[in-house]
Amino acid sequence: MHSSTEGATETTGPESLLRQPKAVWATAGASVVAFMGIGLVDPILPSIAKGLDATAGQVSLLFTSYFLITAVAMLVTGFVSSRIGGRKTLLLGLALVVVFAGLAGTSGSVAELVGFRAGWGLGNALFVSTALAVIVGAAAGGSAAAILLYESALGLGMACGPLLGALLGNASWRYPFFGTAFLMAVGFLCITVFLKEQPKPAQKTSLLDPIKALGHGGLASAAVSSFFYNYTFFTVLAFTPFVLDMTPYRSGAVFFAWGLLLAVSSVLVAPRLQRRFGSLPVLGGSLVLLAADVLVLGYGSHTVAVVCTILSGAFIGVNNTVYTELALGVSDAPRPVASAGYNFVRWFAAAAAPYFAPKIEGWSDVHMPFVVAAVTAVLGAVVVVVRRGSLTREVAELEVRHAAEDGVGVFAR
């Protein structure tokens, strides 16, 4: 367990966030591009379906294959990085993304594209999980500042991905894939130049260590709650573009606004809410509000659906920050191992939602996928409430940390 004394010395003010080593900025910059790849296909999903003569369900497999491989690869990332080092693992992940993103742009069928996205998911898993550990280890200001930097990269990537997809995809659905390959190649060069080899862990990680880490009640609770939440998250991300049925430019603008709100809420809003109300109440409340938002999205008019899609970014941003903090601190397992176990569980939901949402629509109507997504968000909140005892110790430490950042004693509030 990371002690509260250590956490109390951490600061996340503007100076702490901005005054970082070049290696941290290089890793964070490459992380932005990595997260861009998640939302990149959002505004061009209908275009891909038309270009490859595929159904919405077939095209949604672009997300399913990507995240299914990402989930399984989480068991491998620690095994690899503890043997070849963090820098080489990052470069391997980036190289795989460059290759498979480029190949995705050459696809002649939806099956080929789905396969190349799977390879892309493997590279992304190696990079993203290792990047978090590298940023946490190298960032000035301690783990609290590092988590906010990581969430900033996630939010910025989520915002810019749909925008890049729209700008390049308006000419051809293939161009966003080539654009991502180019940007990741730039990231590869930045990591090569600015990041020195990270010291290898004293003890090598086995393939089963992330699974064993989930034996801790707190980490398992955070992972299961996040599993339900991520089903809701990726229903919005992968299924909503078909419901909105907009041009790439308009869809890109909607998800750009969504991503900006996600970034702002994760970095600026979440820490303030945690200081005022506490981490678990904020997480539970945000999940319930997300459920309500998604339900209105599913039954509202087109304009209401657009507004609710953008608004969901606020709740998703808050949830992402709180979940990441819990996953990294709730157990005694090393951060990379705990992160791998947590991500192994939650990314399965990211793979399931894009697959089941179109099928649920086919079995019922266009509203039902959002009803299911609302229910899963509520289930995530229920897990937080029921299992709050296993999360309380870490939450207490987070409260000490956030109070220290304000210069206020934890009991003064």
Side-chain angles (χ1 to χ4, degrees):
M1 175 68 68
H2 312 298
S3 70
S4 57
T5 303
E6 178 188 62
T9 64
E10 298 174 356
T11 59
T12 55
E15 287 189 13
S16 175
L17 285 175
L18 295 177
R19 297 175 64 178
Q20 299 293 339
K22 290 180 180 179
V24 171
W25 287 121
T27 307
S31 297
V32 171
V33 182
F35 287 118
M36 284 172 62
I38 295 176
L40 178 83
V41 299
D42 253 32
I44 58 173
L45 285 174
S47 300
I48 294 174
K50 292 177 182 176
L52 295 178
D53 193 24
T55 65
Q58 289 173 322
V59 173
S60 70
L61 292 176
L62 293 176
F63 285 100
T64 298
S65 64
Y66 180 88
F67 288 115
L68 187 60
I69 296 299
T70 297
V72 175
M74 285 298 165
L75 300 180
V76 180
T77 55
F79 178 87
V80 173
S81 63
S82 66
R83 285 162 174 78
I84 68 175
R87 181 174 180 271
K88 291 178 181 177
T89 304
L90 289 177
L91 292 175
L92 174 61
L94 286 169
L96 287 172
V97 172
V98 170
V99 170
F100 284 105
L103 288 173
T106 69
S107 301
S109 68
V110 70
E112 284 186 13
L113 185 53
V114 168
F116 291 141
R117 278 283 285 183
W120 186 342
L122 173 60
N124 210 55
L126 288 170
F127 175 81
V128 169
S129 62
T130 309
L132 177 57
V134 168
I135 291 175
V136 168
S143 64
I147 288 171
L148 288 186
L149 275 173
Y150 184 78
E151 292 298 334
S152 298
L154 188 154
L156 189 58
M158 286 289 196
C160 293
L163 191 62
L164 178 67
L167 293 175
L168 297 179
N170 195 58
S172 170
W173 65 263
R174 299 180 187 274
Y175 291 167
F177 296 107
F178 295 138
T180 300
F182 171 77
L183 290 174
M184 288 304 255
V186 173
F188 184 96
L189 292 176
C190 290
I191 295 293
T192 302
V193 173
F194 295 114
L195 182 64
K196 296 179 181 179
E197 184 56 76
Q198 304 294 295
K200 298 177 183 178
Q203 185 175 357
K204 292 180 179 179
T205 302
S206 76
L207 292 175
L208 293 179
D209 281 349
I211 300 295
K212 293 176 182 177
L214 290 170
H216 184 279
L219 183 61
S221 300
V224 171
S225 177
S226 183
F227 174 89
F228 289 121
Y229 154 66
N230 271 270
Y231 185 95
T232 308
F233 177 178
F234 285 93
T235 297
V236 172
L237 190 63
F239 184 67
T240 302
F242 290 105
V243 176
L244 298 180
D245 193 24
M246 305 166 81
T247 64
Y249 277 139
R250 290 180 180 274
S251 183
V254 168
F255 279 96
F256 176 67
W258 169 85
L260 281 181
L261 198 54
L262 187 156
V264 169
S265 64
S266 64
V267 177
L268 300 179
V269 178
R272 287 170 171 78
L273 290 176
Q274 287 174 278
R275 285 193 290 266
R276 186 180 180 100
F277 300 107
S279 295
L280 292 189
V282 166
L283 182 58
S286 181
L287 287 168
V288 171
L289 289 173
L290 177 61
D293 179 81
V294 169
L295 202 58
V296 174
L297 192 165
Y299 282 94
S301 65
H302 189 270
T303 301
V304 170
V306 169
V307 172
C308 287
T309 298
I310 295 172
L311 183 59
S312 69
F315 308 123
I316 288 170
V318 170
N319 294 337
N320 285 349
T321 294
V322 180
Y323 274 122
T324 301
E325 288 185 345
L326 289 176
L328 288 183
V330 75
S331 75
D332 294 319
R335 284 190 177 108
V337 174
S339 177
Y342 163 77
N343 282 301
F344 172 71
V345 174
R346 76 181 183 113
W347 286 128
F348 274 111
Y355 176 77
F356 283 111
K359 288 190 175 296
I360 292 171
E361 180 193 17
W363 297 333
S364 52
D365 55 41
V366 72
H367 308 298
M368 193 53 62
F370 295 102
V371 173
V372 174
V375 170
T376 55
V378 172
L379 286 174
V382 169
V383 173
V384 170
V385 173
V386 173
R387 298 289 297 169
R388 63 187 180 278
S390 63
L391 297 168
T392 300
R393 183 179 177 188
E394 170 58 17
V395 168
E397 293 186 3
L398 290 176
E399 297 309 318
V400 171
R401 181 183 307 165
H402 291 311
E405 290 160 11
D406 271 353
V408 179
V410 67
F411 297 110
R413 294 189 180 274

